[in-house]
Amino acid sequence: MTPAAPQPRRVVTIHDGWAFAPVELPGSSSWEDVAAAGEAVVLPHTWNAIDGQAGGEYRRGRSTYAKYIEPEQGDVETWIEFAGVNSSAEVYLGGQLLARHDGGYSTFRVDLTDGLASGERTLLVVVDNLANEHVYPQRADFTFYGGIYRGVRQITVGREHFDLAAHGGPGLTIVPALHGDRAEVALHVAVTTSGTERTATSVRFSVQGESATTVPLDGGEADAMIRIEQVRRWHGLRDPHLYTARAELLAGDTVLDVVDLRFGCREFTVDPERGFLLNGEEYPLRGVSRHQDREGVGNAITEEMQHQDLALLRELGVTTVRLAHYQHDQLFYDLCDETGIVVWAEIPQITVFLPGAVENARDQLTELIVQNRHHASIVCWGLSNEITLAGSGEDVIAAHRELNDLAHELDVTRLTAMANLFLLETDHPLVGLPDVMSYNLYFGWYVGEVADNDTWLDDFHEAHPGTAIGLAEYGADANPQYQSASPEKGDYTEGYQARYHEHMLAMIERRPWLWATHVWNLADFGSAGRDEGGTAGRNQKGLVTFDRTLKKDAFFLYKAAWSSEPFVHVAGRRRAERAEEVTEVVVYTNRSEVTLLVDGVPVGTAEGRRAFRFSVPLTGEHEITARSGDLADTITLRKVDEAPAASVMPTTGIANWFDETDLPSPAGFFSVRDSLGDIKQSEDGARVIASVMEAVATSRGEVGHGVEIPPSMQAIIDRMSVEKLIKQAGGVPSEAVAALNARLNLIAK
């Protein structure tokens, strides 16, 4: 007998018809009450789209959303699914509290059936992004936008259905295992019922294009194993092949519920010498990190915006993306599955360990894994990021051991990972606790020189040859408005960012044992605590601007290294007015030969890789063209007497003042040109340096407070001169520098 046609659950997106009030209202409030106190809105929505990106304080509080819910007819259950509510939510129907959820980045569902059956229709959601000590994150270099900022769906199912409540998961668990050319796919479901009579008897499992099997329900659960002969492996960018598994809940021949889920078959490992291996082949993971927010929108981004970010990743040619610092939208994991981009997924346990949020970290990790373990692209679960900023005691270690064990219990197929603060000592127990780890290194931006990255990594690899290490973050801020003929650390110029990344890219290529490297960041992002680089409320380390409309020169450097799509890009186009007699023209391309033309006349041809440099005399306005085969790119340069003031960051006036002023340096006494280490040898000098370090540590907002600096890092800082440290900090008035130098001039060496 032919089975009855499947009757899949009905899922409807409900983004229209919401009311929002920027205050907390009672759970019994009507839609009209909420609208009267606020406004009608369309989801996704955040109340911090503007103030969360303006710098300084932004509204963190409790707000209220309301929506009329129309139930489906018949003997059914109605659920509401929230894909992201930041950061805590209370859900009411007709004044009755149905659920609380803590954690702003994961999916959760609420059963509305009983309330709707009693005639209630007003769904009310109180959303809270207030500071507290029990929900991560609370202190980090990004804005905690409040709101119902991802999709909301109404789900209608029969009285017997696959589980909707278990940690927001998809209702079907898939664990593929490879054995040569064969795959064995383990499938599991749990079934729930709210009916008076149980009719479901079995579950039919199938893999599209492969075999199917029907197994009886046992205690409300069912398991099956399906074999795939001549399996086609998911192999990154080369072949991101996906299979679709289906589970059908049966009552005889009648289909009561259906769940479809895509998955991939692949195996991977990390080797301390060879790096990342995918399906037995060396597969270097080279890519970027991504924050989800966007200028003027905050975290309430559209599907189109997510596709735009995916397009940027594909243009760059990345093999990996770190989705930081929280669970991202399901759509983005799907896109990475489809395109073959390897993903580092993580929870927002970040910056400062919160003893009161240990259970919340467990809950968020559970939701991350249960909701995402079917994604072929994900290879590791990140337990935390820079969690040791203010300390790394035994309580921190114990909590991470528990998280590590939990991750392996929930998913036996993937690695655990941590992103360690560059201040963390390399022999600390946290370094070896997860399966793999990476460091966030910022030598050449926050501290030290860019070459210190090479030394640090080589020293680690030599001291710990059996431990795999990667770079979870590295980068330098750049405001494209700021340009310089002589870019240097701390000037926020587009040119310094590009030169920094030229060094880092070459450094990484010489170290294939780095298991994964992630540029910080794909795009600029909102960070309310920042006010630097000429723009408040923003971290500007992105390769692309916050609105995604401008690709900085460093973007094209990485495209030249990673992308196979031929292109030529002339850098420095935003430094169109130049005061030097002879200027340097830099070209980025993945072609091996470039010819430069000035006003249509060839002036030189160079062979090489990625970055090509030409010296060009300037006498007026010139058209500069880089040509390689049939590819060309053109910019216009103009000779001026003085570079426009708007192209120089105001705080870099400090650097210019240093260069142009002969600060007193009396023989036998200290000055700002002496190193911190030398000055600290004097008791009086040590006191002065202590005050300088405190000012520098707090110059970049709240994440600078309470930092513990280990001896290895302190040694690098001590090699810096006071002058360099102040330049790097930025924003120090020239009068204050002169006063500090005068104090040091009184201290004998």
Side-chain angles (χ1 to χ4, degrees), residues 233-406:
R233 298 182 179 221
W234 188 92
H235 198 82
L237 300 178
R238 189 175 75 197
D239 187 11
H241 181 73
L242 297 171
Y243 291 91
T244 299
R246 166 169 286 195
E248 298 167 285
L249 180 62
L250 303 178
D253 292 331
T254 302
V255 178
L256 304 179
D257 196 13
V258 177
V259 173
D260 291 322
L261 206 59
R262 295 188 302 174
F263 69 98
C265 296
R266 78 283 184 274
E267 55 190 355
F268 56 86
T269 188
V270 172
D271 184 274
E273 289 296 335
R274 301 173 65 194
F276 185 81
L277 287 84
L278 179 62
N279 298 319
E281 298 179 11
E282 292 180 2
Y283 192 81
L285 295 184
R286 302 293 179 255
V288 300
S289 296
R290 174 193 182 249
H291 265 298
Q292 65 182 357
D293 63 331
R294 187 174 290 221
E295 185 174 15
V297 177
N299 55 359
I301 59 176
T302 65
E303 290 190 6
E304 180 185 8
M305 292 174 182
Q306 298 199 60
H307 281 278
Q308 290 171 353
D309 277 5
L310 191 279
L312 289 169
L313 296 178
R314 297 191 71 178
E315 182 180 351
L316 277 170
V318 305
T319 56
T320 181
V321 61
R322 180 181 174 212
L323 296 181
H325 286 297
Y326 37 75
Q327 184 171 328
H328 285 229
D329 192 275
Q330 280 296 314
L331 173 61
F332 211 81
Y333 296 111
D334 287 338
L335 294 174
C336 291
D337 287 347
E338 295 166 5
T339 55
I341 297 175
V342 171
V343 170
W344 168 321
E346 64 188 45
I347 60 172
Q349 183 174 221
I350 182 170
T351 307
V352 176
F353 178 72
L354 301 175
V358 169
E359 194 61 34
N360 181 251
R362 290 177 59 86
D363 290 344
Q364 293 203 50
L365 182 64
T366 299
E367 291 177 332
L368 174 72
I369 295 175
V370 169
Q371 293 172 24
N372 295 285
R373 58 191 169 193
H374 63 284
H375 286 293
S377 56
I378 297 175
V379 300
C380 64
W381 306 116
L383 306 180
S384 64
N385 176 78
E386 297 189 352
I387 197 63
T388 58
L389 184 76
S392 53
E394 187 55 44
D395 55 345
V396 180
I397 299 169
H400 279 75
R401 286 199 186 104
E402 291 184 8
L403 285 177
N404 196 59
D405 291 343
L406 176 63

Side-chain angles (χ1 to χ4, degrees), residues 23-171:
V23 293
E24 180 181 6
L25 296 175
S28 58
S29 301
S30 68
W31 189 96
E32 289 78 10
D33 292 335
V34 178
E39 60 183 330
V41 297
V42 175
L43 301 185
H45 175 267
T46 175
W47 64 77
N48 297 125
I50 304 302
D51 67 347
Q53 303 173 356
E57 297 295 325
Y58 62 104
R59 182 176 172 267
R60 296 183 66 179
R62 293 169 68 85
S63 296
T64 308
Y65 292 83
K67 165 78 177 172
Y68 284 126
I69 300 296
E70 290 297 329
E72 297 280 346
Q73 299 301 309
D75 189 22
V76 295
E77 291 182 14
T78 301
W79 291 68
I80 190 86
E81 177 187 89
F82 298 93
V85 180
N86 200 39
S87 59
S88 296
E90 298 171 2
V91 181
Y92 298 83
L93 186 65
Q96 181 182 357
L97 176 63
L98 300 183
R100 288 189 176 93
H101 183 263
D102 289 329
Y105 305 98
S106 52
T107 295
F108 67 98
R109 304 187 186 101
V110 182
D111 187 356
L112 307 182
T113 306
D114 291 344
L116 292 173
S118 65
E120 302 294 349
R121 294 292 181 268
T122 301
L123 178 75
L124 192 136
V125 186
V126 177
V127 182
D128 180 358
N129 70 340
L130 277 166
N132 61 69
E133 295 295 322
H134 63 275
V135 182
Y136 280 112
Q138 291 300 324
R139 184 169 158 192
D141 186 19
F142 59 94
T143 297
F144 309 141
Y145 304 94
I148 304 178
Y149 71 93
R150 286 188 188 149
V152 178
R153 305 195 302 173
Q154 183 174 328
I155 303 173
T156 305
V157 292
R159 289 290 182 174
E160 293 179 277
H161 55 84
F162 295 122
D163 190 11
L164 286 166
H167 308 294

